Amino acid sequence: MIELKNVTFGYPGSTRDVYEDFSISLLKNKIYGLLGKNGMGKSTLLYLICGLLRASSGKIAVDGYDAQLRRPEMLREIMIVPEEFELPKVTLDEYVMINAPFYPRFSKDVLVN
């Protein structure tokens, strides 16, 4: 379950908050869509849930874990690929070997197929 309670977040230097007193509960075993125009806060919401951004107020929990703490028990259940990122100069096999331990349910068979 993902739960946001009274979350407020704004980027430094911005005159408006992206989220103000925002609350939502996303239940387990459900599929949700995240739709909206560019700049409406879709990526920001995902980064808040992953703990990559921190709300100025409110609480964000993923399966009961405080998202801001980025605990390994929470992070092993989450994967986000940002819009822009740089990969290290390693082979795919090396990258998998480095990162697979963080994801206990990772399957190399699924990756290859």
Side-chain angles (χ1 to χ4, degrees), residues 15-97:
T15 57
R16 67 174 186 89
D17 289 331
V18 179
Y19 293 102
E20 187 175 335
D21 198 31
F22 177 70
S23 298
I24 191 170
S25 293
L26 304 174
L27 304 175
K28 281 188 169 195
N29 300 317
K30 302 285 183 184
I31 297 173
Y32 296 90
L34 187 56
L35 307 172
K37 294 180 181 180
N38 289 347
M40 297 304 294
K42 299 178 301 294
S43 295
T44 299
L45 179 61
L46 296 175
Y47 293 145
L48 286 165
I49 290 169
C50 291
L52 294 172
L53 292 175
R54 294 175 183 247
S56 55
S57 65
K59 299 284 183 189
I60 302 169
V62 177
D63 291 336
Y65 295 102
D66 181 343
Q68 292 188 65
L69 299 178
R70 295 187 47 80
R71 307 246 338 134
E73 298 85 357
M74 180 193 91
L75 293 176
R76 71 179 175 208
E77 300 297 328
I78 294 177
M79 179 62 179
I80 185 167
V81 178
E83 295 171 43
E84 297 178 21
F85 61 93
E86 289 188 34
L87 289 173
K89 303 246 186 268
V90 297
T91 67
L92 178 59
D93 286 335
E94 291 170 321
Y95 189 79
V96 167
M97 183 181 71

